[in-house]
Amino acid sequence: MPISPRRFVASRLALVASCTLVALPALPALSIAQGAVRPDADPRIQKLVASVSPERLRAIVTKLESFGTRSTLSDTLSSTRGIGAARRWIYEEFKRSSPKLQVAFDRHPVAQGGRITRDVDVVNVMAILPGKSPRRVYISGHYDTVNLRGAMAAGSGGQPNHDVDAPGANDDGSGTALTMELARVFAESGIDFDATLVFITWAAEEQGLIGSMAHAQSLADAKGVVEANFNNDIVGTSLGGSGTVDAESVKIYSLGPEDSMSRSLARYIARVAAIYVPSHTIRLMAREDRFGRGSDHSSFTANNFPAVVFREANENYRRQHSADDKIEGMDFTYLAQNARVNAAGAASVALAPAAPVVLGERGQPLIGRGQSGYDADLKWSPASGAVAYKVYWRDAWANDWQRSQQVGNVTQFVLPNVSIDDYVFGVAAVGADGNESLVSAYVSPNRPMQRIKMYK
């Protein structure tokens, strides 16, 4: 599907339209925020998206809040209070959701240091929905909580008290509930996904992303294949601390550079949301996260896996890291919309083939100027399950794809008279059901420079 640009340079498009090997489609005005559901939308994904329940999200957050605190260093033995009780309940709830889910504790022994004030087992809770291939798509949120001021006030000898109330309804009960609800929705959908879906709730996020980093490092060491991580952290409130109400948009942060696979994932989610959740505006943010803050997606990008984080449109900082982060500050209709955007994006990625590889054996981009020296000659490696490919391109100063052309089941395509100096190019794989992969961009490598030596 052609993607409309925010800015459109007619002279450049006239140049592209002169290409003789491609029939260029018309470029309709299409808003990310609005529009009817596309006629060729996958009905399986439509049904899956519609299955998200605000009532179930509310019930999950209510239960999470009832544990009083889910601090990483809180009680692990009680059956009703503390992080131990919470993680056992999450585990059992995953198990109850569907027998198709493979549920496990992802346990990592962490030594004392930094914000970890004693040796502790950091335990993520994970539910895997096996797909036809081992490549993974993650949906995640962190279930641990913190009450910074309350812990210090109730502590002694300079040491915080980790058992004070830290309800964490929104931070990050919202992301945890979204993850748990989508595990149910995906498992009950009956869809045979190509990718394996992993629904995971992280521990020790508040101590420095420890649970997610331990998991991502293990993945990297095992040479695991991760197509995407949809991380969700503080996504359940439409009323911001400034009094601004916004229940119709969500922010998605992604790490650069401009054509990283994390940025590709962010753009992909925006396009898919326009099809399946057209009333919800996707606000793409060209930075890894909010200024000076972070979340568990950074553990994935640090290990070269594509990842983004969802954030609500307007945050209320008073209700974060405090005893005030309670369920009365939540908007479950809004949280459900954010869950639907996650569901549409993750389902589309998991149904599609893997993104094509556009690098050669030496890591060089497989792009050239063709025999004439003035054409865009694109090559890529075949993607398993692809029946066609779609070439994307945009003006080199634009930040989103402006044109696209489906090119059939080939691994090379030439656009005559289109300079690779003036445009950025990418290619996506298309499956038999029409679902597209992420776009792999051809990135111009930085030229190594040597310091000039002077003589005296």
Side-chain angles (χ1 to χ4, degrees), residues 68-269:
T69 178
R70 306 188 300 278
S71 170
T72 300
L73 295 163
S74 63
D75 189 291
T76 61
L77 300 179
S78 170
S79 60
T80 58
R81 184 177 176 86
I83 194 167
R87 69 189 178 214
R88 289 188 293 273
W89 178 79
I90 293 170
Y91 178 96
E92 292 300 330
E93 193 65 20
F94 272 142
K95 295 279 284 187
R96 282 191 291 270
S97 294
S98 172
K100 295 180 181 178
L101 294 171
Q102 298 174 356
V103 184
F105 289 125
D106 177 47
R107 192 179 300 270
H108 304 274
V110 176
Q112 177 180 343
R115 282 178 274 176
I116 297 292
T117 57
R118 57 176 171 79
D119 294 353
V120 65
D121 279 356
V122 170
V123 185
N124 306 315
V125 191
M126 178 170 61
I128 297 175
L129 182 63
K132 291 181 285 187
S133 76
R135 66 188 182 98
R136 290 184 165 194
V137 174
Y138 278 75
I139 298 174
S140 64
H142 71 88
Y143 74 98
D144 66 306
T145 63
V146 69
N147 176 353
L148 293 175
R149 184 176 297 177
M152 292 306 300
S156 62
Q159 293 297 313
N161 180 348
H162 298 289
D163 289 308
V164 298
D165 282 352
N170 196 25
D171 182 15
D172 185 31
S174 60
T176 299
L178 183 153
T179 300
M180 295 173 67
E181 170 64 354
L182 292 191
R184 177 193 71 84
V185 166
F186 275 71
E188 292 182 350
S189 70
I191 301 174
D192 191 13
F193 293 99
D194 184 76
T196 292
L197 284 137
V198 182
F199 306 89
I200 189 162
T201 59
W202 308 114
E205 189 271 352
E206 301 290 5
Q207 282 70 42
L209 319 182
I210 292 173
S212 59
M213 182 58 79
H215 183 91
Q217 286 176 349
S218 297
L219 270 177
D221 291 344
K223 300 188 184 306
V225 178
V226 178
E227 198 82 1
N229 170 218
F230 294 67
N231 190 51
N232 294 268
D233 193 353
I234 311 180
V235 289
T237 298
S238 58
L239 174 61
S242 65
T244 302
V245 177
D246 185 347
E248 298 178 348
S249 76
V250 65
K251 298 175 184 176
I252 299 178
Y253 291 84
S254 59
L255 179 66
E258 195 168 51
D259 285 298
S260 68
M261 289 306 290
S262 293
R263 289 279 167 86
S264 180
L265 175 59
R267 295 184 185 109
Y268 183 95
I269 295 168

Side-chain angles (χ1 to χ4, degrees), residues 359 363-365 367 442-448:
L359 299 175
Q364 78 280 14
I367 186 171
Y442 296 85
V443 179
S444 177
N446 293 328
R447 294 174 61 87

Side-chain angles (χ1 to χ4, degrees), residues 279 332 429:
S279 62
F332 290 98

Side-chain angles (χ1 to χ4, degrees), residues 347-358:
S348 297
V349 174
L351 282 167
V357 176
V358 296

